[in-house]
Amino acid sequence: MNDGFAIQADSPDEMVYPPRVLFGIAAVVVVASIVQLVPSFDHLFGYITALVGASLGGVVAVIDQKRRANSNYINFNWFSMSLKAIRYFALAAAAGNIAYLAIDAWQGKGII
């Protein structure tokens, strides 16, 4: 007597995807910070954009981790590796911009 027992399959529109749009925004910000590594550009702005890009990458990682807990999560093989790469590029861009800021400060140009 299991009349009240029914199994319902989830509909395809309830699938959970990684935060691809926010990942794209983070990638654009990190690329902008990498472009700021050109010697004639403003390295303080490049450092700030690298920090924003790294922060966005962290937010994307947290959101993705929360979404992975759902059984309807769609896993893209490229997503986690690309997110790691974006976060490493943000770290490298921040370090490069810090190096340029240190050189400017050493030469007496000032940071601001």
Side-chain angles (χ1 to χ4, degrees), residues 26-107:
V28 168
V29 171
V30 169
V31 167
S33 67
I34 291 171
V35 168
Q36 293 295 320
L37 288 173
V38 174
S40 63
F41 285 170
D42 183 18
H43 301 294
L44 183 60
F45 179 71
Y47 174 65
I48 291 170
T49 55
L51 289 180
V52 170
S55 298
L56 283 174
V59 169
V60 169
V62 169
I63 291 171
D64 185 51
Q65 190 68 28
K66 285 183 180 181
R67 289 185 181 180
R68 282 181 185 269
N70 192 328
S71 62
N72 291 335
Y73 181 79
I74 303 295
N75 188 18
F76 295 123
N77 293 332
W78 58 268
F79 188 79
S80 64
M81 293 303 293
S82 299
L83 182 58
K84 285 181 187 177
I86 288 296
R87 295 177 76 189
Y88 284 128
F89 282 133
L91 175 67
N97 282 303
I98 288 172
Y100 275 119
L101 288 171
I103 290 169
D104 287 346
W106 179 56
Q107 293 174 347

